[in-house]
Amino acid sequence: MSWSPAPPAGPPPWGSPSDNERQAVSNRYGTVTNLAVYYNVKRNPFSRAEREDLAMRHVVAARLETTQQTMLGLLFALMGIVSFSFSFTAILAIALIGISIFLVLKKPIVLITATDGVIRPSVGWPWTRAEAEEFVNGVRKELLARG
């Protein structure tokens, strides 16, 4: 007969998830669990994401908005067309039209509001809208589950 020691009691070591924490959603915008939101804050699509950890009890709201700069996009498109017509370089014209297309596309913005009243935005690329919706719906579901 061999003797084996009893497993250690107490909370799990720092950095490991607790037994009652379950993950609801995880994507480029962050991770939602029943206890916390690990959120990637981005001010614009070109900036680096800064991770912010919020306890679920501190999260007040989550919403999804979209932004697009139609007038600025049309201005860049017009400049691209003019550069084609005046024999400017074709590379400049293509670049201006590419920028105009980027500006006209709708970009998703995930906004998380905490109890301190600070709104934390995360701006994504136009093709990440489905992930943004999934993240916001996951946060809302966990907020409703908390009551």
Side-chain angles (χ1 to χ4, degrees):
M1 217 193 263
S2 71
W3 178 80
S4 62
W14 182 256
S16 66
S18 63
D19 290 337
N20 58 356
E21 185 173 22
R22 62 176 170 71
Q23 182 175 318
V25 175
S26 182
N27 59 28
R28 75 177 69 218
Y29 289 95
T31 302
V32 179
T33 69
N34 61 329
L35 300 177
V37 175
Y38 307 104
Y39 186 54
N40 297 323
V41 178
K42 284 179 69 171
R43 306 288 179 219
N44 63 57
F46 300 105
S47 67
R48 235 182 75 212
E50 300 171 14
R51 182 177 160 166
E52 188 164 335
D53 300 343
L54 296 169
M56 189 56 79
R57 68 179 179 271
H58 294 169
V59 177
V60 175
R63 67 181 192 266
L64 175 65
E65 295 180 355
T66 56
T67 182
Q68 74 184 118
Q69 292 93 8
T70 307
M71 295 305 291
L72 193 58
L74 291 175
L75 178 68
F76 273 89
L78 182 64
M79 290 185 334
I81 292 169
V82 168
S83 67
F84 265 135
S85 65
F86 284 116
S87 301
F88 283 59
T89 62
I91 294 172
L92 176 65
I94 291 170
L96 289 171
I97 291 173
I99 291 170
S100 72
I101 291 170
F102 175 75
L103 290 171
V104 170
L105 292 175
K106 291 184 177 183
K107 292 168 275 311
I109 303 173
V110 174
L111 300 166
I112 300 290
T113 307
T115 54
D116 59 2
V118 176
I119 298 173
R120 293 157 174 86
S122 185
V123 180
W125 295 97
W127 50 86
T128 63
R129 182 173 171 83
E131 288 182 65
E133 288 176 352
E134 178 188 23
F135 185 80
V136 168
N137 289 337
V139 173
R140 287 179 180 167
K141 185 180 96 176
E142 293 302 327
L143 284 173
L144 287 173
R146 289 191 76 75

